[in-house]
């Protein structure tokens, strides 16, 4: 198949696409919050076509949500040109790949079960990483001397907004607030079914949403307006079955700094 250039300025955008398998369905303008599930393979453009990263070695595809400011803007641009089950190769200019070593490091760390450090894409952060190192020689080399790379993407699944349940990090403020009563009720159902750990997780998610919202409030009045939208408690008493320390989920102890009855 012939190569094609993509982007707002096809002449200068620095991305070339080659379709390896056409995929199925119509190509649409994917709206914000579309979730792409895809495998990717990263290759250097040397004679050996050295593979840097390959998610086919992982248990699940990578996920990217449109409009959430993923560190590699060019990936979102590439994926928006693809159909379901399509396989395509994208050659990306090094000028668009300054963040790739950092993203790849985080993905590799996660795969190893490590807690990746949060790196920012600011210039000072880049210089600090060059001094400290990434822990992967090939990525350190790319960080110091960027180069054009090939990415082979395989589109496994496409979910439009409303087709999936958003994680908290992907929600806006209104969505986080709307999720609180739903999480509360889900937690109540889990608790009544005797699944205390699962209930604790739901209450934790609800409390986490409220924490994030209240931390963003710049005034007491706005904080109060957030709390006023939380539904009243469905059970005002602490259930006796969690009064024993060995049965009390950690989230219940943590949530005592809040109004505990909001979630029971």
């Amino acid at each position: 198949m012939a190569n094609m250039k993509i982007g707002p300025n096809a002449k200068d955008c620095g991305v070339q696409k080659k379709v390896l398998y056409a995929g199925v369905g119509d190509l649409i303008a994917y709206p914000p919050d579309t979730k792409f599930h895809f495998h990717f393979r990263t290759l250097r453009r040397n004679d050996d076509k050295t593979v840097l990263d390959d998610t086919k070695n992982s248990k699940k595809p990578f996920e990217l949500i449109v409009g959430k400011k993923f560190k590699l803007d060019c990936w979102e641009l590439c994926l928006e040109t693809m159909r379901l089950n399509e396989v395509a190769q994208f050659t990306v200019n090094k000028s668009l790949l300054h963040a790739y070593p950092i993203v790849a490091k985080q993905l590799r760390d996660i795969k190893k079960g490590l807690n990746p450090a949060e790196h920012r894409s600011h210039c000072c952060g880049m210089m600090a990483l060059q001094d400290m190192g990434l822990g992967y020689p090939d990525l350190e080399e790319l960080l110091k001397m960027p180069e054009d790379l090939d990415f082979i993407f395989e589109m496994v699944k496409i979910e439009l907004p409303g087709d999936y349940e958003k994680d908290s990090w992907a929600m806006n403020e209104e969505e986080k607030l709307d999720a609180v009563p739903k999480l509360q009720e889900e937690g109540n159902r889990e608790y009544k079914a005797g699944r205390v750990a699962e209930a604790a997780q739901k209450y934790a998610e609800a409390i986490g949403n409220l924490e994030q919202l209240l931390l963003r409030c710049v005034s007491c009045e706005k904080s109060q307006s957030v709390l006023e939208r939380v539904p009243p408690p469905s059970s005002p008493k602490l259930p006796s079955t969690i009064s024993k320390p060995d049965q009390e989920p950690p989230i219940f102890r943590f949530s005592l700094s809040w109004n505990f009855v909001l979630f029971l």
Side-chain angles (χ1 to χ4, degrees):
M1 305 271 306
N3 285 354
M4 61 176 291
K5 292 187 176 182
I6 60 175
N9 187 331
K11 183 178 179 181
D12 303 316
C13 73
V15 179
Q16 290 183 312
K17 177 180 180 180
K18 181 180 180 181
V19 177
L20 305 179
Y21 177 77
V24 297
D26 296 327
L27 182 62
I28 65 171
Y30 297 110
D33 291 332
T34 298
K35 181 186 283 191
F36 296 123
H37 302 252
F38 63 100
H39 283 294
F40 72 86
R41 177 185 296 175
T42 306
L43 303 98
R44 303 183 76 162
R45 293 182 57 77
N46 53 17
D47 293 337
D48 296 332
K49 295 291 183 181
T50 304
V51 177
L52 296 174
D53 297 285
D54 189 347
T55 57
K56 280 294 186 73
N57 299 324
S58 304
K59 293 182 179 180
K60 59 180 294 186
F62 190 71
E63 297 176 1
L64 185 151
I65 299 179
V66 175
K68 296 303 180 184
K69 297 182 179 180
F70 184 61
K71 290 180 180 179
L72 287 169
D73 297 340
C74 57
W75 277 24
E76 185 172 316
L77 174 67
C78 294
L79 293 167
E80 287 179 335
T81 71
M82 297 182 67
R83 297 174 172 83
L84 181 64
N85 296 337
E86 181 178 333
V87 181
Q89 175 179 305
F90 296 87
T91 300
V92 182
N93 186 274
K94 61 184 178 181
S95 64
L96 303 175
L97 296 174
H98 294 298
Y100 180 78
I102 300 172
V103 173
K105 169 188 166 52
Q106 293 175 329
L107 295 178
R108 292 183 189 184
D109 286 348
I110 291 171
K111 185 178 178 181
K112 289 182 177 180
L114 303 176
N115 183 19
E118 291 187 1
H119 299 299
R120 305 299 180 190
S121 57
H122 301 302
C123 294
C124 58
M126 296 289 285
M127 289 187 292
L129 284 172
Q130 288 180 341
D131 294 335
M132 294 185 301
L134 296 175
Y136 302 96
D138 55 348
L139 297 182
E140 290 175 2
E141 183 181 350
L142 279 178
L143 189 65
K144 294 176 182 178
M145 295 185 296
E147 60 187 67
D148 298 354
L149 295 174
D150 285 339
F151 299 97
I152 296 179
F153 292 146
E154 177 184 350
M155 186 68 74
V156 177
K157 184 178 180 181
I158 300 173
E159 293 181 294
L160 297 176
D163 291 344
Y164 65 95
E165 185 175 343
K166 284 186 180 180
D167 294 324
S168 178
W169 69 267
M171 296 179 181
N172 58 35
E173 292 187 10
E174 192 69 21
E175 290 170 331
K176 285 181 186 291
L177 189 55
D178 289 342
V180 170
K182 297 176 183 177
L183 290 166
Q184 174 190 342
E185 289 304 317
E186 290 173 7
N188 290 345
R189 287 195 296 271
E190 295 286 1
Y191 183 81
K192 290 175 183 177
R195 295 185 288 269
V196 178
E198 289 81 356
Q201 179 61 39
K202 295 297 181 181
Y203 297 141
E205 291 178 32
I207 291 172
N209 281 2
L210 281 178
E211 279 187 324
Q212 293 172 35
L213 288 168
L214 292 175
L215 285 173
R216 295 178 184 177
C217 292
V218 294
S219 68
C220 293
E221 288 151 1
K222 188 173 180 182
S223 297
Q224 184 62 33
S225 69
V226 169
L227 291 175
E228 284 175 352
R229 291 185 56 182
V230 177
S234 57
S235 175
K237 295 181 180 180
L238 180 67
S240 60
T241 54
I242 61 170
S243 61
K244 297 179 182 179
D246 61 340
Q247 294 181 339
E248 181 182 344
I251 186 58
F252 291 157
R253 292 194 294 272
F254 169 76
S255 67
L256 291 176
S257 62
W258 291 83
N259 186 350
F260 179 81
V261 297
L262 287 175
F263 302 100
L264 289 177

